[in-house]
Amino acid sequence: MSLPGETIFNVRVYGLLLNEQKEILIAEEKRYSTCIRKFPGGGLQFGEGTIDAVKREFREELNIEIGIIRHFYTTDFFVPSVFNSKQQVISIFYLVKSTELISENYFKRKSISELKEGDEQFYWSSIKELKEDDFTFPIEKRVSGMIKKELTF
């Protein structure tokens, strides 16, 4: 248990979901009137394993079931939270697959101006065209570069 004023760890879990068109699923969220781009996922809850957490996040956020292919990356450098300077973020990324067929029209991207505060949307992005600068946070920037190097078809 953390006491007030102590530094704490914020453990995040993310799924890297690819489709047959060599695209990866991206999450886009409007928060603090800004567009945040990351991979689908979220926070680990107390008492939960990381694999259970990433599966729960996909059920909650996307209403799809996933299976784990393999661990892809765990943060190996210091990252303070953008939202709380007393938190260190540790992110765990899994390469995942959908256990159900996803229609190519399942994810329809809106303009960020159409989103309300707290809204999140998902869209496919070509791995070939993926750029580190497409992402908001340093961990996702690093992972996007790794994806381009390691996940070529």
Side-chain angles (χ1 to χ4, degrees):
M1 182 170 170
S2 168
L3 298 174
E6 285 186 15
T7 55
I8 58 173
F9 294 101
N10 181 344
V11 181
R12 316 293 294 171
V13 292
Y14 297 97
L16 305 174
L17 179 63
L18 299 109
N19 66 19
E20 292 177 4
Q21 289 75 37
K22 301 179 184 178
E23 297 171 320
I24 189 160
L25 195 63
I26 306 294
E28 191 170 57
E29 181 177 358
K30 190 168 189 178
R31 190 174 282 213
Y32 307 109
S33 300
T34 291
C35 174
I36 295 173
R37 284 191 192 92
K38 60 185 187 71
F39 296 102
L44 180 71
Q45 296 176 356
F46 184 78
E48 186 175 48
T50 58
I51 289 174
D52 289 337
V54 76
K55 288 180 177 183
R56 173 187 50 77
E57 287 289 342
F58 270 76
R59 273 192 307 276
E60 289 177 0
E61 294 179 359
L62 297 122
N63 198 30
I64 61 173
E65 296 293 326
I66 60 163
I68 304 298
I69 297 172
R70 67 175 173 90
H71 171 264
F72 186 78
Y73 175 74
T74 298
T75 309
D76 58 3
F77 61 103
F78 174 71
V79 180
S81 171
V82 172
F83 305 110
N84 181 343
S85 62
K86 294 185 183 263
Q87 289 185 355
Q88 178 176 346
V89 177
I90 298 170
S91 295
I92 303 165
F93 294 82
Y94 290 98
L95 190 58
V96 302
K97 64 181 177 183
S98 175
T99 59
E100 54 196 88
L101 186 62
I102 301 173
S103 162
E104 67 180 64
N105 295 321
Y106 186 75
F107 303 109
K108 294 189 178 184
R109 189 177 187 190
K110 297 178 187 175
S111 162
I112 197 71
S113 63
E114 294 179 70
L115 299 179
K116 292 182 234 147
E117 184 68 21
D119 281 354
E120 189 170 26
Q121 66 180 347
F122 303 89
Y123 65 93
W124 296 108
S125 178
S126 166
I127 291 175
K128 183 178 178 182
E129 296 172 15
L130 207 58
K131 295 186 245 19
E132 290 182 14
D133 288 340
D134 291 342
F135 296 91
T136 306
F137 303 118
I139 299 169
E140 283 82 358
K141 289 178 184 292
R142 179 171 289 186
V143 170
S144 69
M146 293 171 65
I147 288 167
K148 285 189 80 159
K149 289 178 187 170
E150 296 181 32
L151 296 182
T152 53
F153 294 84

PDB file of all heavy atoms in Angstrom, residues 102-129:
ATOM      1  N   ILE A 102     -13.495 -10.066 -37.197  1.00  0.00           N
ATOM      2  CA  ILE A 102     -13.802  -8.644 -37.055  1.00  0.00           C
ATOM      3  C   ILE A 102     -14.039  -8.077 -38.448  1.00  0.00           C
ATOM      4  O   ILE A 102     -13.163  -8.153 -39.311  1.00  0.00           O
ATOM      5  CB  ILE A 102     -12.642  -7.882 -36.386  1.00  0.00           C
ATOM      6  CG1 ILE A 102     -12.343  -8.452 -35.003  1.00  0.00           C
ATOM      7  CG2 ILE A 102     -12.967  -6.390 -36.290  1.00  0.00           C
ATOM      8  CD1 ILE A 102     -11.106  -7.864 -34.355  1.00  0.00           C
ATOM      9  N   SER A 103     -15.189  -7.501 -38.663  1.00  0.00           N
ATOM     10  CA  SER A 103     -15.506  -6.867 -39.940  1.00  0.00           C
ATOM     11  C   SER A 103     -14.558  -5.699 -40.163  1.00  0.00           C
ATOM     12  O   SER A 103     -14.215  -4.976 -39.230  1.00  0.00           O
ATOM     13  CB  SER A 103     -16.948  -6.365 -39.919  1.00  0.00           C
ATOM     14  OG  SER A 103     -17.151  -5.413 -40.925  1.00  0.00           O
ATOM     15  N   GLU A 104     -14.121  -5.504 -41.418  1.00  0.00           N
ATOM     16  CA  GLU A 104     -13.214  -4.394 -41.691  1.00  0.00           C
ATOM     17  C   GLU A 104     -13.878  -3.045 -41.435  1.00  0.00           C
ATOM     18  O   GLU A 104     -13.212  -2.036 -41.258  1.00  0.00           O
ATOM     19  CB  GLU A 104     -12.655  -4.459 -43.103  1.00  0.00           C
ATOM     20  CG  GLU A 104     -13.672  -4.249 -44.205  1.00  0.00           C
ATOM     21  CD  GLU A 104     -13.041  -4.339 -45.576  1.00  0.00           C
ATOM     22  OE1 GLU A 104     -12.538  -5.416 -45.934  1.00  0.00           O
ATOM     23  OE2 GLU A 104     -13.054  -3.320 -46.283  1.00  0.00           O
ATOM     24  N   ASN A 105     -15.199  -3.020 -41.366  1.00  0.00           N
ATOM     25  CA  ASN A 105     -15.918  -1.777 -41.083  1.00  0.00           C
ATOM     26  C   ASN A 105     -16.273  -1.628 -39.599  1.00  0.00           C
ATOM     27  O   ASN A 105     -16.995  -0.710 -39.233  1.00  0.00           O
ATOM     28  CB  ASN A 105     -17.204  -1.708 -41.919  1.00  0.00           C
ATOM     29  CG  ASN A 105     -16.907  -1.638 -43.392  1.00  0.00           C
ATOM     30  OD1 ASN A 105     -15.970  -0.978 -43.806  1.00  0.00           O
ATOM     31  ND2 ASN A 105     -17.703  -2.334 -44.191  1.00  0.00           N
ATOM     32  N   TYR A 106     -15.766  -2.536 -38.763  1.00  0.00           N
ATOM     33  CA  TYR A 106     -16.094  -2.510 -37.343  1.00  0.00           C
ATOM     34  C   TYR A 106     -15.618  -1.217 -36.683  1.00  0.00           C
ATOM     35  O   TYR A 106     -16.270  -0.669 -35.815  1.00  0.00           O
ATOM     36  CB  TYR A 106     -15.478  -3.729 -36.652  1.00  0.00           C
ATOM     37  CG  TYR A 106     -15.863  -3.889 -35.208  1.00  0.00           C
ATOM     38  CD1 TYR A 106     -17.124  -4.351 -34.853  1.00  0.00           C
ATOM     39  CD2 TYR A 106     -14.978  -3.575 -34.184  1.00  0.00           C
ATOM     40  CE1 TYR A 106     -17.484  -4.498 -33.526  1.00  0.00           C
ATOM     41  CE2 TYR A 106     -15.327  -3.720 -32.860  1.00  0.00           C
ATOM     42  CZ  TYR A 106     -16.582  -4.185 -32.532  1.00  0.00           C
ATOM     43  OH  TYR A 106     -16.953  -4.331 -31.227  1.00  0.00           O
ATOM     44  N   PHE A 107     -14.452  -0.738 -37.109  1.00  0.00           N
ATOM     45  CA  PHE A 107     -13.889   0.473 -36.528  1.00  0.00           C
ATOM     46  C   PHE A 107     -14.015   1.610 -37.530  1.00  0.00           C
ATOM     47  O   PHE A 107     -13.394   1.588 -38.577  1.00  0.00           O
ATOM     48  CB  PHE A 107     -12.421   0.265 -36.156  1.00  0.00           C
ATOM     49  CG  PHE A 107     -12.227  -0.888 -35.217  1.00  0.00           C
ATOM     50  CD1 PHE A 107     -11.627  -2.053 -35.652  1.00  0.00           C
ATOM     51  CD2 PHE A 107     -12.644  -0.811 -33.902  1.00  0.00           C
ATOM     52  CE1 PHE A 107     -11.449  -3.114 -34.791  1.00  0.00           C
ATOM     53  CE2 PHE A 107     -12.469  -1.874 -33.035  1.00  0.00           C
ATOM     54  CZ  PHE A 107     -11.873  -3.032 -33.480  1.00  0.00           C
ATOM     55  N   LYS A 108     -14.835   2.594 -37.202  1.00  0.00           N
ATOM     56  CA  LYS A 108     -15.003   3.760 -38.063  1.00  0.00           C
ATOM     57  C   LYS A 108     -14.433   4.966 -37.339  1.00  0.00           C
ATOM     58  O   LYS A 108     -14.896   5.317 -36.251  1.00  0.00           O
ATOM     59  CB  LYS A 108     -16.476   3.973 -38.394  1.00  0.00           C
ATOM     60  CG  LYS A 108     -17.023   2.838 -39.228  1.00  0.00           C
ATOM     61  CD  LYS A 108     -18.398   3.139 -39.724  1.00  0.00           C
ATOM     62  CE  LYS A 108     -18.848   1.964 -40.579  1.00  0.00           C
ATOM     63  NZ  LYS A 108     -20.103   2.135 -41.193  1.00  0.00           N
ATOM     64  N   ARG A 109     -13.448   5.578 -37.942  1.00  0.00           N
ATOM     65  CA  ARG A 109     -12.756   6.698 -37.315  1.00  0.00           C
ATOM     66  C   ARG A 109     -13.502   8.009 -37.569  1.00  0.00           C
ATOM     67  O   ARG A 109     -13.867   8.333 -38.679  1.00  0.00           O
ATOM     68  CB  ARG A 109     -11.337   6.786 -37.877  1.00  0.00           C
ATOM     69  CG  ARG A 109     -10.466   7.757 -37.149  1.00  0.00           C
ATOM     70  CD  ARG A 109      -9.068   7.736 -37.703  1.00  0.00           C
ATOM     71  NE  ARG A 109      -8.176   8.553 -36.914  1.00  0.00           N
ATOM     72  CZ  ARG A 109      -6.960   8.866 -37.280  1.00  0.00           C
ATOM     73  NH1 ARG A 109      -6.470   8.409 -38.417  1.00  0.00           N
ATOM     74  NH2 ARG A 109      -6.211   9.612 -36.523  1.00  0.00           N
ATOM     75  N   LYS A 110     -13.686   8.759 -36.470  1.00  0.00           N
ATOM     76  CA  LYS A 110     -14.286  10.088 -36.543  1.00  0.00           C
ATOM     77  C   LYS A 110     -13.165  11.125 -36.442  1.00  0.00           C
ATOM     78  O   LYS A 110     -12.066  10.824 -35.980  1.00  0.00           O
ATOM     79  CB  LYS A 110     -15.236  10.317 -35.363  1.00  0.00           C
ATOM     80  CG  LYS A 110     -16.417   9.407 -35.309  1.00  0.00           C
ATOM     81  CD  LYS A 110     -17.222   9.740 -34.066  1.00  0.00           C
ATOM     82  CE  LYS A 110     -18.349   8.754 -33.851  1.00  0.00           C
ATOM     83  NZ  LYS A 110     -19.047   8.993 -32.590  1.00  0.00           N
ATOM     84  N   SER A 111     -13.482  12.340 -36.802  1.00  0.00           N
ATOM     85  CA  SER A 111     -12.569  13.451 -36.578  1.00  0.00           C
ATOM     86  C   SER A 111     -12.450  13.652 -35.071  1.00  0.00           C
ATOM     87  O   SER A 111     -13.434  13.494 -34.339  1.00  0.00           O
ATOM     88  CB  SER A 111     -13.121  14.700 -37.244  1.00  0.00           C
ATOM     89  OG  SER A 111     -12.506  15.846 -36.712  1.00  0.00           O
ATOM     90  N   ILE A 112     -11.268  14.016 -34.595  1.00  0.00           N
ATOM     91  CA  ILE A 112     -11.075  14.223 -33.161  1.00  0.00           C
ATOM     92  C   ILE A 112     -11.997  15.328 -32.646  1.00  0.00           C
ATOM     93  O   ILE A 112     -12.424  15.309 -31.490  1.00  0.00           O
ATOM     94  CB  ILE A 112      -9.589  14.491 -32.820  1.00  0.00           C
ATOM     95  CG1 ILE A 112      -9.317  14.303 -31.326  1.00  0.00           C
ATOM     96  CG2 ILE A 112      -9.141  15.853 -33.274  1.00  0.00           C
ATOM     97  CD1 ILE A 112      -9.348  12.902 -30.843  1.00  0.00           C
ATOM     98  N   SER A 113     -12.349  16.275 -33.495  1.00  0.00           N
ATOM     99  CA  SER A 113     -13.251  17.356 -33.079  1.00  0.00           C
ATOM    100  C   SER A 113     -14.667  16.844 -32.803  1.00  0.00           C
ATOM    101  O   SER A 113     -15.441  17.488 -32.097  1.00  0.00           O
ATOM    102  CB  SER A 113     -13.282  18.470 -34.129  1.00  0.00           C
ATOM    103  OG  SER A 113     -13.796  17.987 -35.344  1.00  0.00           O
ATOM    104  N   GLU A 114     -15.013  15.673 -33.359  1.00  0.00           N
ATOM    105  CA  GLU A 114     -16.334  15.083 -33.123  1.00  0.00           C
ATOM    106  C   GLU A 114     -16.408  14.346 -31.790  1.00  0.00           C
ATOM    107  O   GLU A 114     -17.498  14.036 -31.318  1.00  0.00           O
ATOM    108  CB  GLU A 114     -16.676  14.093 -34.239  1.00  0.00           C
ATOM    109  CG  GLU A 114     -16.859  14.706 -35.606  1.00  0.00           C
ATOM    110  CD  GLU A 114     -17.160  13.640 -36.637  1.00  0.00           C
ATOM    111  OE1 GLU A 114     -18.267  13.062 -36.594  1.00  0.00           O
ATOM    112  OE2 GLU A 114     -16.271  13.386 -37.484  1.00  0.00           O
ATOM    113  N   LEU A 115     -15.264  14.049 -31.199  1.00  0.00           N
ATOM    114  CA  LEU A 115     -15.237  13.297 -29.948  1.00  0.00           C
ATOM    115  C   LEU A 115     -15.462  14.221 -28.763  1.00  0.00           C
ATOM    116  O   LEU A 115     -14.986  15.349 -28.738  1.00  0.00           O
ATOM    117  CB  LEU A 115     -13.893  12.583 -29.786  1.00  0.00           C
ATOM    118  CG  LEU A 115     -13.520  11.549 -30.842  1.00  0.00           C
ATOM    119  CD1 LEU A 115     -12.156  10.962 -30.540  1.00  0.00           C
ATOM    120  CD2 LEU A 115     -14.566  10.458 -30.940  1.00  0.00           C
ATOM    121  N   LYS A 116     -16.178  13.707 -27.761  1.00  0.00           N
ATOM    122  CA  LYS A 116     -16.369  14.425 -26.511  1.00  0.00           C
ATOM    123  C   LYS A 116     -15.236  14.040 -25.565  1.00  0.00           C
ATOM    124  O   LYS A 116     -14.590  13.009 -25.725  1.00  0.00           O
ATOM    125  CB  LYS A 116     -17.715  14.048 -25.888  1.00  0.00           C
ATOM    126  CG  LYS A 116     -18.896  14.535 -26.682  1.00  0.00           C
ATOM    127  CD  LYS A 116     -20.187  14.166 -25.966  1.00  0.00           C
ATOM    128  CE  LYS A 116     -21.036  13.413 -26.950  1.00  0.00           C
ATOM    129  NZ  LYS A 116     -21.865  12.410 -26.439  1.00  0.00           N
ATOM    130  N   GLU A 117     -15.040  14.858 -24.557  1.00  0.00           N
ATOM    131  CA  GLU A 117     -14.009  14.590 -23.560  1.00  0.00           C
ATOM    132  C   GLU A 117     -14.187  13.179 -22.987  1.00  0.00           C
ATOM    133  O   GLU A 117     -15.283  12.802 -22.583  1.00  0.00           O
ATOM    134  CB  GLU A 117     -14.104  15.631 -22.432  1.00  0.00           C
ATOM    135  CG  GLU A 117     -13.036  15.525 -21.390  1.00  0.00           C
ATOM    136  CD  GLU A 117     -11.648  15.883 -21.888  1.00  0.00           C
ATOM    137  OE1 GLU A 117     -11.503  16.583 -22.906  1.00  0.00           O
ATOM    138  OE2 GLU A 117     -10.685  15.446 -21.236  1.00  0.00           O
ATOM    139  N   GLY A 118     -13.128  12.377 -23.019  1.00  0.00           N
ATOM    140  CA  GLY A 118     -13.163  11.009 -22.499  1.00  0.00           C
ATOM    141  C   GLY A 118     -13.542   9.960 -23.517  1.00  0.00           C
ATOM    142  O   GLY A 118     -13.411   8.764 -23.251  1.00  0.00           O
ATOM    143  N   ASP A 119     -14.022  10.370 -24.697  1.00  0.00           N
ATOM    144  CA  ASP A 119     -14.372   9.405 -25.744  1.00  0.00           C
ATOM    145  C   ASP A 119     -13.111   8.735 -26.284  1.00  0.00           C
ATOM    146  O   ASP A 119     -12.049   9.358 -26.377  1.00  0.00           O
ATOM    147  CB  ASP A 119     -15.085  10.088 -26.920  1.00  0.00           C
ATOM    148  CG  ASP A 119     -16.549  10.370 -26.642  1.00  0.00           C
ATOM    149  OD1 ASP A 119     -17.052   9.949 -25.586  1.00  0.00           O
ATOM    150  OD2 ASP A 119     -17.180  11.025 -27.498  1.00  0.00           O
ATOM    151  N   GLU A 120     -13.256   7.470 -26.656  1.00  0.00           N
ATOM    152  CA  GLU A 120     -12.148   6.713 -27.246  1.00  0.00           C
ATOM    153  C   GLU A 120     -12.647   6.025 -28.503  1.00  0.00           C
ATOM    154  O   GLU A 120     -13.779   5.568 -28.558  1.00  0.00           O
ATOM    155  CB  GLU A 120     -11.633   5.677 -26.236  1.00  0.00           C
ATOM    156  CG  GLU A 120     -10.365   4.996 -26.655  1.00  0.00           C
ATOM    157  CD  GLU A 120      -9.754   4.164 -25.532  1.00  0.00           C
ATOM    158  OE1 GLU A 120     -10.490   3.701 -24.628  1.00  0.00           O
ATOM    159  OE2 GLU A 120      -8.535   3.969 -25.564  1.00  0.00           O
ATOM    160  N   GLN A 121     -11.798   6.004 -29.517  1.00  0.00           N
ATOM    161  CA  GLN A 121     -12.128   5.297 -30.750  1.00  0.00           C
ATOM    162  C   GLN A 121     -10.910   4.482 -31.189  1.00  0.00           C
ATOM    163  O   GLN A 121      -9.798   4.709 -30.715  1.00  0.00           O
ATOM    164  CB  GLN A 121     -12.557   6.273 -31.842  1.00  0.00           C
ATOM    165  CG  GLN A 121     -11.471   7.198 -32.330  1.00  0.00           C
ATOM    166  CD  GLN A 121     -11.992   8.129 -33.420  1.00  0.00           C
ATOM    167  OE1 GLN A 121     -13.064   7.942 -33.974  1.00  0.00           O
ATOM    168  NE2 GLN A 121     -11.221   9.150 -33.728  1.00  0.00           N
ATOM    169  N   PHE A 122     -11.167   3.556 -32.091  1.00  0.00           N
ATOM    170  CA  PHE A 122     -10.128   2.648 -32.561  1.00  0.00           C
ATOM    171  C   PHE A 122     -10.135   2.630 -34.079  1.00  0.00           C
ATOM    172  O   PHE A 122     -11.185   2.735 -34.702  1.00  0.00           O
ATOM    173  CB  PHE A 122     -10.390   1.243 -32.010  1.00  0.00           C
ATOM    174  CG  PHE A 122     -10.456   1.232 -30.509  1.00  0.00           C
ATOM    175  CD1 PHE A 122     -11.655   1.440 -29.848  1.00  0.00           C
ATOM    176  CD2 PHE A 122      -9.310   1.051 -29.766  1.00  0.00           C
ATOM    177  CE1 PHE A 122     -11.712   1.469 -28.466  1.00  0.00           C
ATOM    178  CE2 PHE A 122      -9.354   1.075 -28.379  1.00  0.00           C
ATOM    179  CZ  PHE A 122     -10.557   1.281 -27.731  1.00  0.00           C
ATOM    180  N   TYR A 123      -8.956   2.482 -34.667  1.00  0.00           N
ATOM    181  CA  TYR A 123      -8.846   2.433 -36.118  1.00  0.00           C
ATOM    182  C   TYR A 123      -7.605   1.648 -36.521  1.00  0.00           C
ATOM    183  O   TYR A 123      -6.659   1.507 -35.746  1.00  0.00           O
ATOM    184  CB  TYR A 123      -8.819   3.851 -36.726  1.00  0.00           C
ATOM    185  CG  TYR A 123      -7.597   4.660 -36.339  1.00  0.00           C
ATOM    186  CD1 TYR A 123      -6.465   4.671 -37.148  1.00  0.00           C
ATOM    187  CD2 TYR A 123      -7.580   5.408 -35.167  1.00  0.00           C
ATOM    188  CE1 TYR A 123      -5.345   5.401 -36.787  1.00  0.00           C
ATOM    189  CE2 TYR A 123      -6.473   6.141 -34.813  1.00  0.00           C
ATOM    190  CZ  TYR A 123      -5.350   6.146 -35.624  1.00  0.00           C
ATOM    191  OH  TYR A 123      -4.247   6.862 -35.271  1.00  0.00           O
ATOM    192  N   TRP A 124      -7.640   1.124 -37.744  1.00  0.00           N
ATOM    193  CA  TRP A 124      -6.512   0.367 -38.289  1.00  0.00           C
ATOM    194  C   TRP A 124      -5.520   1.329 -38.928  1.00  0.00           C
ATOM    195  O   TRP A 124      -5.909   2.266 -39.606  1.00  0.00           O
ATOM    196  CB  TRP A 124      -6.984  -0.636 -39.336  1.00  0.00           C
ATOM    197  CG  TRP A 124      -7.872  -1.704 -38.799  1.00  0.00           C
ATOM    198  CD1 TRP A 124      -9.216  -1.822 -39.005  1.00  0.00           C
ATOM    199  CD2 TRP A 124      -7.500  -2.804 -37.974  1.00  0.00           C
ATOM    200  NE1 TRP A 124      -9.696  -2.931 -38.352  1.00  0.00           N
ATOM    201  CE2 TRP A 124      -8.668  -3.554 -37.709  1.00  0.00           C
ATOM    202  CE3 TRP A 124      -6.297  -3.232 -37.422  1.00  0.00           C
ATOM    203  CZ2 TRP A 124      -8.663  -4.701 -36.930  1.00  0.00           C
ATOM    204  CZ3 TRP A 124      -6.293  -4.376 -36.641  1.00  0.00           C
ATOM    205  CH2 TRP A 124      -7.452  -5.101 -36.398  1.00  0.00           C
ATOM    206  N   SER A 125      -4.241   1.077 -38.725  1.00  0.00           N
ATOM    207  CA  SER A 125      -3.180   1.881 -39.332  1.00  0.00           C
ATOM    208  C   SER A 125      -2.171   0.944 -39.983  1.00  0.00           C
ATOM    209  O   SER A 125      -1.786  -0.069 -39.389  1.00  0.00           O
ATOM    210  CB  SER A 125      -2.491   2.735 -38.266  1.00  0.00           C
ATOM    211  OG  SER A 125      -1.440   3.478 -38.827  1.00  0.00           O
ATOM    212  N   SER A 126      -1.728   1.283 -41.166  1.00  0.00           N
ATOM    213  CA  SER A 126      -0.747   0.474 -41.874  1.00  0.00           C
ATOM    214  C   SER A 126       0.562   0.418 -41.086  1.00  0.00           C
ATOM    215  O   SER A 126       1.092   1.456 -40.668  1.00  0.00           O
ATOM    216  CB  SER A 126      -0.491   1.083 -43.260  1.00  0.00           C
ATOM    217  OG  SER A 126       0.662   0.524 -43.840  1.00  0.00           O
ATOM    218  N   ILE A 127       1.083  -0.777 -40.884  1.00  0.00           N
ATOM    219  CA  ILE A 127       2.364  -0.922 -40.194  1.00  0.00           C
ATOM    220  C   ILE A 127       3.459  -0.228 -41.000  1.00  0.00           C
ATOM    221  O   ILE A 127       4.336   0.430 -40.444  1.00  0.00           O
ATOM    222  CB  ILE A 127       2.705  -2.407 -39.958  1.00  0.00           C
ATOM    223  CG1 ILE A 127       1.745  -2.985 -38.920  1.00  0.00           C
ATOM    224  CG2 ILE A 127       4.148  -2.572 -39.503  1.00  0.00           C
ATOM    225  CD1 ILE A 127       1.900  -4.457 -38.676  1.00  0.00           C
ATOM    226  N   LYS A 128       3.385  -0.345 -42.301  1.00  0.00           N
ATOM    227  CA  LYS A 128       4.389   0.259 -43.180  1.00  0.00           C
ATOM    228  C   LYS A 128       4.460   1.777 -42.976  1.00  0.00           C
ATOM    229  O   LYS A 128       5.525   2.369 -43.033  1.00  0.00           O
ATOM    230  CB  LYS A 128       4.040  -0.061 -44.633  1.00  0.00           C
ATOM    231  CG  LYS A 128       5.017   0.425 -45.650  1.00  0.00           C
ATOM    232  CD  LYS A 128       4.582   0.007 -47.039  1.00  0.00           C
ATOM    233  CE  LYS A 128       5.528   0.542 -48.091  1.00  0.00           C
ATOM    234  NZ  LYS A 128       5.086   0.188 -49.444  1.00  0.00           N
ATOM    235  N   GLU A 129       3.321   2.408 -42.719  1.00  0.00           N
ATOM    236  CA  GLU A 129       3.267   3.860 -42.576  1.00  0.00           C
ATOM    237  C   GLU A 129       3.320   4.340 -41.124  1.00  0.00           C
ATOM    238  O   GLU A 129       3.259   5.548 -40.861  1.00  0.00           O
ATOM    239  CB  GLU A 129       2.004   4.388 -43.254  1.00  0.00           C
ATOM    240  CG  GLU A 129       2.005   4.134 -44.744  1.00  0.00           C
ATOM    241  CD  GLU A 129       0.681   4.479 -45.407  1.00  0.00           C
ATOM    242  OE1 GLU A 129      -0.148   5.165 -44.781  1.00  0.00           O
ATOM    243  OE2 GLU A 129       0.486   4.041 -46.555  1.00  0.00           O
TER     244      GLU A 129
END
